[in-house]
Amino acid sequence: MKKIILSVLMFLCVCVAYAQKVTISPSSFTAKDQITIEVDVTGTAVAGVEPLYIWMWSDGGDAPNGSWNNSLESQVMTKVRTNVWSITLVPTEFYKRSAAAIGEKIGFLVKAKDGTGDKKTENMGSPVNKIVEGPQAFRVFPSNFTENDIVTIVYDQKLEENKDFQKTTEIFVYTKADVRTGAGSVEEWARSFEKGKDWGEVGDTPKLRMKSEGNGIYTLTLIPKMFYALEPRDKIVALRVIFRNKAGNSQSSNNKQNVTE
Amino acid sequence: MKIIGKLFSVALLAAAFSACSPKEDFAPIGENLSIEQASISGTWKLTRVRQVDPIAQADGKPNEKFVQFYELAAVYPDFTKCQINFTGSSYTVTNPGNVPLFLGTGGAWKFVDTAKGRSLDMAGTMVDFGEVYRVSENKLTLVYRRMSAKGDVLVHYFYYFSK
């Protein structure tokens, strides 16, 4: 009995040690979200090796990793500090697969460019939240775009969960952009449609009023880089959208759409 | 009887000679389907702009507006006021409504030939040909493909022109 308890305790210790090697932020994500994987390789076969590369796989197949003895440069990680390496990616873009193909978990390890001789860490991994399938009240066309593209925010009022807001016939958009600033940090809900204007001005701003396309569909078309009041070195990384009435006393939930850089 | 036989032989030979004579005229093959200087020279009026989501297409999403495609003249009617004029090695853009046209603002142009086919360099903006027409059809379709920093194609913009 003692042996069993000891074995369980040792296993738990190993799990804790293992868990401390890698952090993924955000910890909960879908295959279409941007994530940052940070790995501490201290005590592994690649401690002190530079540069290091990530090697990734999923239920639907491997990412384009290159070959085991010659990782592709697209998989190179960024050195955070001695023996700590990170990489920021969007799984669907990184794997070049759809969210459905990636499935519900990703796996990865960190290796030298030439992994011959087991120059690698142990396998690591993370669950991936399933993307809710089926029509959503909020979507954006096209599904992937840059800040320079023509983007149409589409709202299907029939699918609105707030029953009170379903009755609204004049719909406005409250929207802000998440940006990567010139200093490199990401600021959420950072840039509004016009500098200094916020929730109170939405109902009096014609360019924020959505166009009715019929059948409960409303749209607003914009070019992110021109629409939001950006600072000179800003890069837009996501759009934040709330649908509301003119008075601003009835609204939808918060919505977010990533912008490809 | 021999005379009848000889006459029959002569008639048969005459018929054979007649059959071999190269009298048939074929209709002209017609104009080539190709992309040459003449295919783009001149002044072109923009008639239609279609935005296409290639990722939604690849994922098998419904072929519907705001899912796979959107006709952008519905929201930017001034697209139909745009014109492009191609001369020998340069082009100019007329865009009175200042609509978002991703075909450069004018300058030098040249053909670029790769393994994927012939493309157009419009003052540094790379554009593909959406379809191949005969010169006499007076049609031109250009495609601008927006790519991510990693080189993935995210959006197609189809520009349909006529003379």
Side-chain angles (χ1 to χ4, degrees), chain A residues 203-217:
Chain A
D204 297 321
T205 307
K207 73 175 182 179
L208 295 175
R209 184 180 173 180
M210 301 195 82
K211 177 186 172 190
S212 173
E213 303 280 348
N215 195 32
I217 304 288

Side-chain angles (χ1 to χ4, degrees), chain B residues 7 46 48 51 75 88 95 126 134 146:
Chain B
L7 283 173
L46 186 57
R48 184 180 160 209
Q51 189 181 24
V75 66
N95 184 359
M126 290 307 299
R134 292 179 178 87
R146 175 79 69 195

Side-chain angles (χ1 to χ4, degrees), chain B residues 30-134:
Chain B
E31 239 180 300
N32 285 336
L33 281 165
S34 62
I35 300 167
E36 305 295 339
Q37 174 101 21
S39 308
I40 66 166
S41 289
T43 300
W44 297 92
K45 295 173 186 171
L46 186 57
T47 59
R48 184 180 160 209
V49 181
R50 187 178 176 91
Q51 189 181 24
V52 173
D53 184 338
I55 297 169
Q57 286 182 325
D59 283 349
K61 298 274 176 65
N63 186 19
E64 295 172 2
K65 184 166 77 166
F66 303 132
V67 179
Q68 278 205 18
F69 64 87
Y70 186 34
E71 295 290 340
L72 289 174
V75 66
Y76 296 106
D78 284 351
F79 266 128
T80 55
K81 294 178 183 170
C82 292
Q83 292 189 5
I84 292 188
N85 178 248
F86 288 94
T87 58
S89 60
S90 66
Y91 76 104
T92 54
V93 175
T94 307
N95 184 359
N98 198 28
V99 287
L101 191 67
F102 303 130
L103 299 173
T105 53
W109 72 266
K110 63 181 178 185
F111 288 125
V112 176
D113 293 313
T114 67
K116 291 181 181 176
R118 174 160 275 192
S119 299
L120 198 58
D121 179 341
M122 298 176 72
T125 300
M126 290 307 299
V127 177
D128 291 331
F129 291 92
E131 286 185 45
V132 181
Y133 300 104
R134 292 179 178 87

